[in-house]
Amino acid sequence: MKLPSVVAVKPLWWVIGVLALAVVALSVSLVVVRANARASVATYAGAGAACAAQREGATTRVAELVSANAGYGRAVAVLQAELTLAQKQAATLKQQSDSAVAAAEAREADANRTLKQFMDRYAGQARETRCALALTEVEASCPAFSGY
């Protein structure tokens, strides 16, 4: 071997070795980067699935709440109708009770007038001799009638 060829071959082998080491290092870093990328993709896919599940859960919850809200709306409407009916019935009962009280008071006043007329007539006739004797005879024959 000639000296110029030896001088040129040795550095060439060194360059090839360095390049081979660079290729190996780049391959290893590529494997590491690919593993990290796959892990990141898996993480993002899991996060995406979690978000989708959470969104579906929220959508389901919204549907449940809308349904419950509609049910409460119907219940409130029924209760408002019942309240209106009860208020009308209360007004009717108040009117009826007021008219019944007024009628009873009118009958009481009429009965008091009739009683006063009777008592006045009784008091006037009880002073007459003939009526006083009749009352005495009635009391003597039936003591239950005494005291009137």
Side-chain angles (χ1 to χ4, degrees), residues 34-147:
R34 185 185 298 164
N36 285 340
R38 285 184 182 164
S40 294
V41 167
T43 301
Y44 292 135
C51 285
Q54 187 177 15
R55 183 186 50 155
E56 285 192 29
T59 303
T60 302
R61 182 70 177 140
V62 165
E64 289 171 353
L65 291 175
V66 165
S67 175
N69 214 10
Y72 291 136
R74 287 189 299 273
V76 166
V78 167
L79 289 174
Q80 285 176 339
E82 290 292 326
L83 174 65
T84 303
L85 180 65
Q87 287 173 339
K88 287 179 183 176
Q89 289 176 347
T92 303
L93 287 174
K94 179 161 178 25
Q95 181 184 6
Q96 289 174 349
S97 66
D98 289 346
S99 64
V101 166
E105 288 173 348
R107 285 192 303 270
E108 178 190 22
D110 184 47
N112 285 337
R113 271 193 312 273
T114 304
L115 178 64
K116 185 173 180 337
Q117 289 173 357
F118 177 76
M119 292 303 287
D120 289 344
R121 196 173 350 145
Y122 174 76
Q125 288 183 1
R127 290 188 196 114
E128 290 183 22
T129 312
R130 194 172 55 126
C131 287
L133 287 174
L135 285 174
T136 305
E137 286 180 26
V138 168
E139 287 179 0
S141 63
C142 184
F145 287 129
S146 64

